[in-house]
Amino acid sequence: MALTVVYAIGTGHVVGALDLTGAGGTPPGPETLVGRELPLRVSLGGGRTATLPLNARELAVASVDDEPGVLADPLAFGVELSPEGKPKPTLLRLPAWTGDGGIALAADGVTLTVKVPVPRAAKAVVLVSDDQETHVLAGEIPAQHREVTLPLTLTSGGTHGVLALVAGWAGRLEKEAVT
């Protein structure tokens, strides 16, 4: 196991991966790898970029089996915990939920819609850029449902960077317009 991943504690999503060749033993803590926060960036067009920072207190680190795909697309993978709360060495490939209406920004909130109803409640964390601040929202999609709407006040017509993490589904980092 030479692959080290940084993952979101609340949802299990891998948000960063590195190959620590020659490293052994216990991986360093998230603060050692990312500092106080891990900035994820998305282009908003016109030379603008939104930075969505994940606080290091909300992250953890795990040594896992080699999985080359995680280096190119970390949000497509998740860390599963053992009954003892330890990360399992094999990463989970998470199903995508892109397409029609997966993320919808409105002046009064953000709605996340996955492809099929979740079998049990699925935690959701959303970061939305808004000029100089980042809104951090948390909730869950109830069991046997496909969506959740999280309250947020935005200006109609604006474009924002969005990081959406729904437990059990691949993470999404993209730009979205308020409709």
Side-chain angles (χ1 to χ4, degrees):
M1 287 188 259
L3 191 61
T4 299
V5 296
V6 177
Y7 67 96
I9 295 169
T11 62
H13 287 88
V14 175
V15 293
L18 34 120
D19 188 353
L20 298 175
T21 304
T26 305
E31 297 86 3
T32 302
L33 295 176
V34 304
R36 292 179 43 216
E37 59 189 25
L38 174 63
L40 299 179
R41 293 178 176 83
V42 61
S43 173
L44 299 178
R48 296 181 328 146
T49 300
T51 300
L52 301 161
L54 292 169
N55 192 306
R57 292 187 311 262
E58 303 297 324
L59 303 173
V61 177
S63 292
V64 297
D65 295 337
D66 286 337
E67 174 55 67
V70 75
L71 296 169
D73 189 10
L75 292 173
F77 293 88
V79 171
E80 184 179 18
L81 301 179
S82 71
E84 299 81 33
K86 304 264 189 215
K88 292 183 177 181
T90 303
L91 293 175
L92 300 172
R93 179 167 284 278
L94 301 171
W97 54 290
T98 57
D100 297 338
I103 300 172
L105 290 183
D108 62 351
V110 57
T111 300
L112 307 177
T113 306
V114 296
K115 289 182 178 181
V116 297
V118 297
R120 59 188 155 286
K123 290 184 181 181
V125 175
V126 181
L127 278 70
V128 180
S129 68
D130 192 10
D131 293 324
Q132 299 301 316
E133 69 176 304
T134 300
H135 302 282
V136 179
L137 311 168
E140 67 179 29
I141 298 176
Q144 306 309 316
H145 288 81
R146 294 182 51 225
E147 71 179 33
V148 63
T149 298
L150 304 171
L152 175 65
T153 302
L154 296 170
T155 304
S156 293
T159 301
H160 303 269
V162 178
L163 172 64
L165 305 175
V166 176
W169 295 87
R172 293 177 60 178
L173 177 63
E174 53 198 57
K175 77 173 182 177
E176 291 290 331
V178 179
T179 56

